[in-house]
Amino acid sequence: MDDINARILQELFRDGRLPNTELAERVGLSPSACLRRVQELERQGVIKGYRAVLDPIAMGNGFVAYVTVGLTGHTKAAQEGFERSVSLFDEVRECHNITGTVEYLLRIEAEDLIAYKRFHTDKLGTLPQVHQIVTHVVMGSPKDDRA
C-alpha cells in the first residue's frame, strides 16, 4: 500500500461517489492512472463495494441501541444458529462476534422504544441460544465514520 493508494482510499471513504476526474485531481494522478489504481484496489478486495449511507431517523428508525448478547453454550452450533437467526431480523444492522464476557455485539435500529421492546421480547429474547441481553441506548453520536 503506497501513499497514493492510501490517499485514494481516504478520499473514497469520505465520498464513494466522487467522480474519477476529481479523485485523480485530489491525489495528483491522471484520470486513467487513477482509474487503474481504483480498479486494482477493487480486484484485490481492498475496496469491497460502495453503498449509500442512510439516515435512520429519516428511515423511521429513531431508536438506536447497542446490545450485547451472551449465549447459553459456547459451541459452533450455538453460534451458527444465533447468527442465522439474527441475519433475518431487519432491526439488526450490525452483528459482531466479540471477545470478553459475552459473544456478540449488535447494533439495533427500531422505530422507537416500544418497537425495540417488541424486538427484544418477541424476537431476540425467544432465540434458544440466548442467555443474556444487555441494552445500551444511543443518546447521541458525536463521531460516526459510517455517516
Side-chain angles (χ1 to χ4, degrees):
M1 177 74 57
D2 64 15
D3 287 344
I4 294 174
N5 280 356
R7 289 198 324 257
I8 288 171
L9 294 173
Q10 184 179 29
E11 293 295 335
L12 288 176
F13 184 76
R14 287 187 193 138
D15 182 0
R17 295 184 70 183
L18 194 62
N20 183 61
T21 53
E22 190 173 336
L23 176 61
E25 185 177 312
R26 289 185 187 185
V27 300
L29 291 175
S30 69
S32 59
C34 184
L35 183 59
R36 279 193 303 275
R37 282 179 175 257
V38 169
Q39 289 170 335
E40 181 61 18
L41 289 165
E42 291 169 345
R43 190 190 66 69
Q44 292 174 352
V46 175
I47 298 174
K48 290 185 167 220
Y50 302 87
R51 64 184 76 180
V53 177
L54 307 178
D55 181 337
I57 294 170
M59 298 292 297
N61 292 321
F63 183 91
V64 178
Y66 285 87
V67 176
T68 59
V69 178
L71 300 186
T72 55
H74 301 284
T75 66
K76 184 176 181 178
Q79 287 184 331
E80 289 173 346
F82 175 78
E83 291 173 9
R84 263 193 314 279
S85 295
V86 298
S87 71
L88 302 174
F89 298 154
D90 291 336
E91 297 89 348
V92 178
R93 304 304 300 158
E94 296 176 27
C95 175
H96 305 279
N97 184 221
I98 60 174
T99 63
T101 58
V102 295
E103 286 76 26
Y104 289 92
L105 174 67
L106 310 177
R107 187 170 65 83
I108 307 299
E109 292 180 5
E111 182 179 355
D112 53 25
L113 180 60
I114 294 167
Y116 172 72
K117 184 177 186 313
R118 273 194 310 271
F119 164 77
H120 181 283
T121 303
D122 299 338
K123 292 182 179 180
L124 192 58
T126 64
L127 297 179
Q129 303 90 351
V130 172
H131 167 71
Q132 175 188 14
I133 303 170
V134 177
T135 303
H136 305 271
V137 176
V138 174
M139 296 173 58
S141 299
K143 180 178 181 181
D144 186 347
D145 281 342
R146 292 170 299 124

